[in-house]
């Protein structure tokens, strides 16, 4: 069974609009990370007919003990890479997130021209009635420093490694120009008690030129 994403775009977009208005169209915060160019985007999902360029999210290959990530509730790096080895044949690790756990990524910059995130996932146990899914949220701060969270996707189960479909980040709609990036984080949480694995997280990134 291939992974599919439950559409939450309309609800999330409405919430994003309300948040932006209440925050005086807040753009960036004082904790903005560097938006200087990092790894060059590549067509890492081309074999799944996705021609767009993606760059690895920092620590998202989990080969460096999830450096920069915040792991809660028993989430941890374990042996075993996603089966397609898109990050390299020598990769040997992935992230395990048990029931009750979550993982939050380091901050990255996105903008109007860079709207999506993709990664690899599989479900290891079904949780309540075998219905467990994985939720994905984008976290961002307005100009008042208030943390906001928006759901951007729900990954339905597969017992083998599969790439997710592209998830629209939505918070990238906040910048008023292509010259400004918005810092965001991503939070991954199993729902309904299941245990999940994830690996090789990529974003369509903001890169200052």
């Amino acid at each position: 069974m291939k992974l599919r994403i439950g559409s939450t775009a309309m609800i999330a977009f409405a919430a994003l609009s309300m948040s932006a208005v209440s925050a005086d169209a807040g753009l960036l915060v004082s904790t903005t990370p560097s938006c200087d160019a990092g790894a060059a985007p590549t067509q890492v999902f081309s074999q799944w007919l996705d021609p767009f360029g993606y760059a690895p999210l920092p620590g998202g290959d989990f080969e460096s003990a999830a450096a920069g990530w915040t792991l809660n509730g028993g989430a941890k790096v374990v042996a075993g890479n996603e089966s397609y080895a898109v990050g390299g044949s020598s990769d040997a690790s992935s992230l395990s997130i048990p029931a009750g756990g979550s993982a939050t990524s380091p901050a990255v910059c996105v903008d109007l021209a860079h709207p999506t995130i993709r990664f690899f996932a599989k479900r290891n146990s079904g949780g309540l009635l075998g219905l467990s899914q994985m939720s994905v949220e984008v976290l961002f701060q307005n100009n008042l420093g208030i943390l906001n969270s928006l759901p951007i996707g729900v990954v339905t189960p597969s017992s083998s490694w599969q790439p997710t479909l592209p998830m629209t980040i939505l918070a990238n709609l906040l910048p008023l120009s292509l010259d400004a990036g918005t810092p965001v984080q991503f939070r991954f949480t199993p729902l309904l008690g299941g245990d999940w694995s994830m690996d090789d997280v990529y974003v369509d990134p903001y890169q200052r030129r």
Side-chain angles (χ1 to χ4, degrees), residues 14 17 39 42 63 82 89 94 99 107 112 117 135 145 165 174 176 209:
S17 300
T42 60
E63 299 300 314
E82 54 86 4
S89 59
S94 58
L112 291 170
I117 178 174
S135 75
L165 295 176
L174 285 174
L176 296 180
R209 293 171 174 81

Side-chain angles (χ1 to χ4, degrees), residues 19-45:
S19 176
V21 170
S22 67
D24 258 344
L27 299 179
L28 303 178
V29 294
S30 60
T31 55
T32 304
S34 170
C35 291
D36 293 339
T42 60
Q43 294 175 308
V44 67
F45 294 101

Side-chain angles (χ1 to χ4, degrees), residues 86-119:
V86 298
S89 59
S90 63
D91 285 1
S93 300
S94 58
L95 185 68
S96 171
I97 311 178
S102 67
T104 303
S105 77
V108 293
C109 287
V110 294
D111 72 354
L112 291 170
H114 303 93
T116 53
I117 178 174
R118 296 191 78 172
F119 59 99

Side-chain angles (χ1 to χ4, degrees), residues 170-184:
L170 295 171
N172 69 303
L173 299 174
L174 285 174
L176 296 180
S177 77
L178 292 178
D179 296 325
T182 296
V184 299

